[in-house]
Amino acid sequence: MTWQFEHVTLGQRVRFGTGTAATDLAAEVSRLGARRVMLISGEPVAAEVTAGIDVAVHCTDVAPHVPVENAERARALAADADLLVSVGGGSTTGLAKAVALTTGLPIVAVPTTYAGSEATNVWGLTEASRKTTGSDNRVLPVTVIYDTALTATLPRSLAVASGCNALAHCVDSMWAPRTDPINQALALEGIRALSTGLRQDAREQLLYGAYLAAVAFASAGSGLHHKICHVLGGAYNLPHAETHTAVLPHVLAFNAVAVPEAATRIRDALGGSLLDLYAEIGASPVLRGVPDVREAAALILPSVPPSNPRAVTEDDLIALLTTAQNGAPQA
């Protein structure tokens, strides 16, 4: 085998521990020399996390898929800030990114789920039921603070959906537009950690796997799975993690026939089939909330990556979404 590729790893500080978020955050605020911190969070735990710093302004205007109007209000609040601190899941990190995109303010992200947005330079905004995404290094948090204690109160159903969302980052990274052996290795180790964490409710493994998944995804880019889910989420205001969980087995089944070696590596890392893992942990492969699969397929088709390992037609998307609604992946 002869390899030829160009790999980019994004520069970012990571602090990982249990019960250390407040101490780690205070240290990062001091290191960055911030004087006017804007806290972005709608979670009660944010008060505990920020106990050791002074917060100049607090924005709680967090919503799924980051509506443009929410972003504009948050940007106005950030007029005098010199640092953004986000405490929460993917929607919270996403709002901080929307502010950083236009202000250039640095972000310290403190995740409370396994969304992975904190480790990517990808942003997303929704307007008039259409979600626009892009990449910009201004939105990459300068520091991520992982604290397993912050995930301890996640309801099991949300932890499962969030963990499966992280799995989707890994699977998509195996054949995304910029995939290479380095991010495939990260993705496969991420799958191993996440599948173990999901089976055993091992929060350290889940956070570790979620970070690896996001790093791989940031390098490899958005594949077919993420293009489908971004369009569906924006068009029908679907819950992010649950939608990724439902769609993943169907995209994996669709692409597996074209890349059997990658599919085998994914299965080996999972320790079995994805559907067997879903049955074991109580994850649902059933897509809900899409009223018209033909309309949805037409919206998705222009976003399909030309590099997808299998050619995708509108009829393919209709079939994929239909089987997703029924919960039975295509052969």
Side-chain angles (χ1 to χ4, degrees):
M1 177 186 294
T2 301
W3 283 345
Q4 183 175 348
F5 60 88
E6 180 178 334
H7 178 84
V8 175
T9 299
L10 300 176
Q12 183 180 67
R13 180 183 295 258
V14 174
R15 303 182 72 129
F16 196 109
T18 300
T20 56
T23 301
D24 286 346
L25 178 58
E28 285 303 297
V29 170
S30 175
R31 183 182 70 86
L32 294 167
R35 295 291 181 265
R36 291 191 57 79
V37 173
M38 175 171 168
L39 171 64
I40 298 176
S41 181
E43 300 198 14
V45 73
E48 176 185 335
V49 172
T50 59
I53 66 171
D54 293 326
V55 174
V57 60
H58 185 182
C59 174
T60 61
D61 203 10
V62 177
H65 308 295
V66 193
V68 167
E69 54 270 25
N70 295 51
E72 292 295 345
R73 289 193 292 267
R75 288 164 179 166
L77 284 174
D80 296 322
D82 59 6
L83 177 67
L84 305 173
V85 171
S86 64
V87 181
S91 297
T92 303
T93 308
L95 182 58
K97 287 181 170 184
V99 176
L101 183 65
T102 58
T103 65
L105 290 171
I107 303 170
V108 174
V110 187
T112 59
T113 68
Y114 312 116
S117 176
E118 67 279 355
T120 80
N121 63 351
V122 178
W123 56 268
L125 290 165
T126 302
E127 184 173 23
S129 298
R130 297 293 180 266
K131 188 169 185 176
T132 302
T133 62
S135 60
D136 191 307
N137 286 345
R138 287 177 296 178
V139 309
L140 177 72
V142 296
T143 303
V144 182
I145 295 172
Y146 289 112
D147 185 342
T148 59
L150 299 180
T151 66
T153 59
L154 268 180
R156 175 62 180 170
S157 60
L158 181 54
V160 165
S162 188
C164 290
N165 177 31
L167 277 176
H169 290 131
C170 295
V171 172
D172 232 13
S173 295
M174 296 298 292
W175 46 58
R178 300 188 301 275
T179 190
D180 64 44
I182 296 173
N183 49 51
Q184 288 177 5
L186 291 170
L188 291 168
E189 174 61 13
I191 290 172
R192 282 187 281 269
L194 289 163
S195 57
T196 297
L198 285 165
R199 288 187 175 100
Q200 301 177 6
D201 195 25
R203 303 302 172 105
E204 283 189 342
Q205 287 293 303
L206 284 167
L207 276 180
Y208 164 65
Y211 174 71
L212 292 179
V215 172
F217 174 71
S219 174
S222 293
L224 177 62
H225 171 86
H226 278 79
K227 294 300 185 182
I228 290 172
C229 291
H230 286 166
V231 171
L232 295 180
Y236 306 112
N237 195 29
L238 303 184
H240 182 86
E242 289 83 352
T243 301
H244 280 268
T245 301
V247 170
L248 179 59
H250 309 283
V251 175
L252 176 55
F254 179 83
N255 273 345
V257 297
V259 280
E261 181 182 357
T264 298
R265 295 173 76 191
I266 291 168
R267 184 184 181 94
D268 289 347
L270 285 167
S273 76
L274 181 60
L275 285 180
D276 285 346
L277 174 65
Y278 271 34
E280 189 174 343
I281 64 177
S284 174
V286 180
L287 176 64
R288 296 179 173 85
V290 178
D292 186 340
V293 295
R294 291 185 177 275
E295 175 191 63
L299 292 173
I300 293 165
L301 188 62
S303 299
V304 172
S307 61
N308 191 65
R310 180 177 172 185
V312 182
T313 67
E314 189 168 329
D315 285 342
D316 289 331
L317 291 170
I318 291 170
L320 189 153
L321 294 174
T322 299
T323 57
Q325 288 183 324
N326 296 329
Q330 299 176 19

